[in-house]
Amino acid sequence: MEVHDMAGHLIRRLHQTSAHVFAQRTKEAGLDVTPVQFAAMSAILETPGMDQASVAAQIAYDRATIGGVIDRLEQKGWLSRSVSPKDRRSRVVALTEEGRAMLDRILPVVRSLQADILPGLSDEERGIFLALARKATAEAPRS
């Protein structure tokens, strides 16, 4: 079938694999976190003092729905929001101590599942794939 040679179809299939492996492995580790929550927490840790819109931009996520992700992380006690000193209409997000501890628990699990997301590829092929995926996403339009 021609569809099996189309980038969009293959990317969708890889996304299914990635989401399944992430959910399975984090559940096995007793962690209640989604890939987007993990990405948001990582971005917040790397860039302290950013607002919700900046989190969305950093992880290439929709600005309209990042609020729900931030809400759930706040409900879990993993981050806090405060009024931005630069713009009172904006909310600055920060990981709580519990959030930092949780990210420390999550990170090794996420690192260990990376090879399982691309089964059948050698370490060298994974490196090539990641380089090409970074190149393609760097040029992709933002939503």
Side-chain angles (χ1 to χ4, degrees):
M1 283 179 60
E2 183 178 352
V3 72
H4 295 296
D5 291 324
M6 293 182 171
H9 175 73
L10 295 171
I11 291 166
R12 182 187 62 77
R13 295 282 316 276
L14 281 172
H15 179 262
Q16 287 176 318
T17 299
S18 174
H20 174 75
V21 169
F22 188 98
Q24 183 179 33
R25 296 284 294 278
T26 54
K27 183 178 178 182
E28 287 170 1
L31 301 169
D32 178 25
V33 65
T34 68
V36 174
Q37 290 172 349
F38 167 72
M41 291 174 70
S42 295
I44 293 164
L45 180 67
E46 290 174 14
T47 311
M50 78 166 105
D51 61 22
Q52 288 181 196
S54 298
V55 173
Q58 185 90 9
I59 65 171
Y61 200 69
D62 182 53
R63 283 180 64 164
T65 54
I66 193 68
V69 174
I70 299 296
D71 287 345
R72 285 182 285 288
L73 290 171
E74 187 176 36
Q75 289 167 3
K76 290 178 179 187
W78 297 352
L79 66 77
S80 63
R81 282 188 267 208
S82 59
V83 175
S84 170
K86 298 175 187 172
D87 180 355
R88 298 202 47 81
R89 297 169 296 174
S90 182
R91 299 287 179 260
V92 174
V93 292
L95 291 180
T96 62
E97 282 189 35
E98 184 180 351
R100 285 178 187 260
M102 184 54 65
L103 190 56
D104 287 344
R105 283 187 56 209
I106 297 166
L107 195 53
V109 174
V110 174
R111 283 184 180 139
S112 74
L113 65 81
Q114 294 305 301
D116 297 336
I117 290 173
L118 297 171
L121 296 187
S122 67
D123 288 344
E124 181 182 357
E125 289 167 330
R126 257 191 306 283
I128 292 167
F129 171 84
L130 292 172
L132 291 171
R134 279 190 294 272
K135 183 177 180 180
T137 57
E139 298 299 321
R142 301 283 176 176
S143 55

